[in-house]
Amino acid sequence: MSAPSLPPRRITVLGSTGSVGTSTLDVIARHPEHFEVFALSAATRVDELLAQCARFRPRFAAMASPEHAALLADRLAANGLPTQVLRSDDALEAIASDEDVDIVMAAIVGAAGLAPCLAAARAGKRLLLANKEALVVGGELFMETVRRGGATLLPIDSEHSAIFQCLPEDPAAWPRRIEKIILTASGGPFRGRAPDSLRDVTPEEACAHPNWVMGRKISVDSATMMNKALEVIEARHLFGVGPERIDVVIHPQSVVHSMVQFVDGSVLAQMGTPDMRVPIACGLAWPERVESGTGRLDFRQLADLSFEVPDGDLFPGLRLAWDTLRAAPGTTAVLNAANEVAVEAFLARQLRFDRIHAVNLETLEAVAPSKPSSLADLLALDASARAAARKAVLRLAA
């Protein structure tokens, strides 16, 4: 089989030490003739980022705090490595928008990834979006920035990548051809449990996902199915369909990653092993295909595929996707901020698992957003929602 014809591409990986970031570097390492690492960023994992710099020799690296950046710079120098550590407040935006960058992998979890995503969009980059919050928080402002900057936006969440792969190449045709987008969900570690059994769930139990290897925050979101609520919001913006045309089904095997039902009644599904390297390889090489390093489905050995309706009592947060999409602009940003605060408190053992949803509800009731028209507006709304969520956590703390 001949290799695809791809021009060499320089890549910035935002969040390179997380699960999506490390999977991205794994795919890149398999194709050194096609991809070159330009810059890497991490929050606090100095040792991991140092090792990545030693292997991939990026031109730049950035860290979330000046203290971690200084420590990384010292260790790079001690090891004779040439990577330059950027220490400015806008370091992430700089490595996302540099004129020498072709592709930006946006894998920073949470609202912290919004500013560099916007910078990459303004600069017209190929933006591989693994950061749900850029769309959940940024919404129309983010999509308008993509349009104005001439950026190419490719989804990396397995569900949205699956939908993208099922659709025709012309986005203008999507709204008139799509009848329904069907997002699949594994159901997480608590599928089938009684709602009142979740009171004493520990962070370790919530992070024990049955199918996927993910970071702790995303794993908790999977356990509450808030990740699927955020994905509904994301799909609404990515594919230009109303929330009434988006559905969610439980698919415990995680083989069908999502489906599109078209107006003629046909359904296309994308299938594969539950490995993030598949959508990552798709985004890096699109419209070509490259080896991802993943295992292959063996249909002779494949177990039965089953689908279920989500339990609304077990996963009450899922309904908030449609509620917030129908509410005032900015409401989805409030939901995202509240959920980040609540999950952080749960992981710190300051909040019971079954009270994450209560924090989200109280914050939505406490904060009345106005339509954001700039990044500053979004950040101010995010800060207000976080403050309200922290008050809710204190009131509801176990």
Side-chain angles (χ1 to χ4, degrees), residues 73-149:
D74 290 343
R75 293 190 181 177
L76 287 167
N79 285 274
L81 296 172
T83 300
Q84 179 183 346
V85 179
L86 299 182
R87 309 189 193 200
S88 62
D89 291 339
D90 62 351
L92 294 181
E93 293 95 312
I95 62 175
S97 60
D98 192 287
E99 63 181 4
D100 289 334
V101 172
D102 301 302
I103 300 174
V104 176
M105 168 58 77
I108 295 174
V109 175
L114 178 59
C117 283
L118 284 168
R122 283 193 298 269
K125 305 302 181 185
R126 171 178 287 204
L127 180 56
L128 309 186
L129 192 64
N131 175 290
K132 293 180 178 66
E133 292 78 11
L135 280 167
V136 173
V137 178
E140 287 302 328
L141 176 64
F142 180 78
M143 293 304 297
E144 180 60 25
T145 304
V146 169
R147 287 188 286 268
R148 289 184 178 179

Side-chain angles (χ1 to χ4, degrees), residues 12-26 28 37 39-54 56 58 60-64 68 72 75 92 95 105-109 213-216 218 280:
T12 286
V13 183
L14 302 171
S16 65
T17 61
S19 59
V20 172
T22 56
S23 294
T24 301
L25 293 175
D26 180 85
I28 290 172
V37 176
L40 300 172
S41 83
T44 60
R45 298 176 181 174
V46 174
D47 292 338
E48 289 93 331
L49 188 53
L50 176 66
Q52 291 176 348
C53 290
F56 293 96
F60 298 110
M63 299 209 74
H68 288 99
L72 176 65
R75 293 190 181 177
L92 294 181
I95 62 175
M105 168 58 77
I108 295 174
V109 175
V213 177
M214 304 181 294
R216 283 163 61 80
I218 298 175
I280 289 167

Side-chain angles (χ1 to χ4, degrees), residues 302-333:
L302 195 61
D304 291 340
L305 303 181
S306 60
F307 301 90
E308 307 166 6
V309 176
D311 183 338
D313 294 326
L314 184 62
F315 305 115
L318 180 59
R319 293 192 295 265
L320 295 179
W322 291 272
D323 293 344
T324 56
L325 281 170
R326 294 180 178 119
T331 305
T332 59

Side-chain angles (χ1 to χ4, degrees), residues 20-21 23-24 103-107 127-132 153-162 164-165 212 234 238 275-285:
V20 172
S23 294
T24 301
I103 300 174
V104 176
M105 168 58 77
L127 180 56
L128 309 186
L129 192 64
N131 175 290
K132 293 180 178 66
L153 183 63
L154 298 178
I156 299 301
D157 270 350
S158 61
E159 296 82 0
H160 300 95
S161 176
F164 176 78
Q165 293 178 61
W212 294 90
E234 190 178 4
L238 278 171
D275 191 318
M276 283 302 298
R277 290 177 295 177
V278 173
I280 289 167
C282 177
L284 287 170

Side-chain angles (χ1 to χ4, degrees), residues 94-364:
I95 62 175
S97 60
D98 192 287
E99 63 181 4
D100 289 334
V101 172
D102 301 302
I103 300 174
V104 176
M105 168 58 77
I108 295 174
V109 175
L114 178 59
C117 283
L118 284 168
R122 283 193 298 269
K125 305 302 181 185
R126 171 178 287 204
L127 180 56
L128 309 186
L129 192 64
N131 175 290
K132 293 180 178 66
E133 292 78 11
L135 280 167
V136 173
V137 178
E140 287 302 328
L141 176 64
F142 180 78
M143 293 304 297
E144 180 60 25
T145 304
V146 169
R147 287 188 286 268
R148 289 184 178 179
T152 300
L153 183 63
L154 298 178
I156 299 301
D157 270 350
S158 61
E159 296 82 0
H160 300 95
S161 176
I163 294 161
F164 176 78
Q165 293 178 61
C166 291
L167 291 173
E169 290 193 16
D170 179 13
W174 295 352
R176 70 173 184 269
R177 294 188 184 181
I178 296 171
E179 183 170 280
K180 185 180 290 186
I181 285 173
I182 305 167
L183 295 167
T184 57
S186 70
F190 306 134
R191 169 180 159 263
R193 291 267 295 262
D196 59 6
S197 72
L198 302 182
R199 173 188 172 95
D200 298 319
V201 161
T202 67
E204 290 75 22
E205 291 173 314
C207 292
H209 196 281
N211 298 336
W212 294 90
V213 177
M214 304 181 294
R216 283 163 61 80
K217 194 269 181 184
I218 298 175
S219 295
V220 175
D221 283 347
S222 179
T224 63
M225 277 192 72
M226 180 53 66
N227 71 320
K228 212 54 52 177
L230 299 180
E231 287 169 13
V232 169
I233 297 166
E234 190 178 4
R236 185 265 175 274
H237 293 296
L238 278 171
F239 304 113
V241 299
E244 72 281 356
R245 287 200 275 169
I246 304 172
D247 199 3
V248 173
V249 297
I250 301 289
H251 170 52
Q253 296 83 14
S254 295
V255 171
V256 175
H257 296 306
S258 276
M259 298 170 276
V260 179
Q261 182 171 300
F262 293 93
V263 294
D264 60 3
S266 64
V267 177
L268 294 184
Q270 189 267 339
M271 304 172 70
T273 54
D275 191 318
M276 283 302 298
R277 290 177 295 177
V278 173
I280 289 167
C282 177
L284 287 170
W286 187 263
E288 295 288 348
R289 298 277 183 167
V290 296
E291 168 60 39
S292 64
T294 62
R296 301 312 197 244
L297 288 180
D298 184 348
F299 286 91
R300 296 166 299 182
Q301 302 295 323
L302 195 61
D304 291 340
L305 303 181
S306 60
F307 301 90
E308 307 166 6
V309 176
D311 183 338
D313 294 326
L314 184 62
F315 305 115
L318 180 59
R319 293 192 295 265
L320 295 179
W322 291 272
D323 293 344
T324 56
L325 281 170
R326 294 180 178 119
T331 305
T332 59
V334 175
L335 173 62
N336 178 77
N339 186 64
E340 286 192 20
V341 170
V343 171
E344 181 181 10
F346 166 70
L347 288 171
R349 304 178 195 276
Q350 298 168 352
L351 184 73
R352 285 192 345 224
F353 179 85
D354 63 345
R355 289 181 172 172
I356 292 174
H357 180 59
V359 170
N360 293 339
L361 286 178
E362 287 199 13
T363 306
L364 287 169

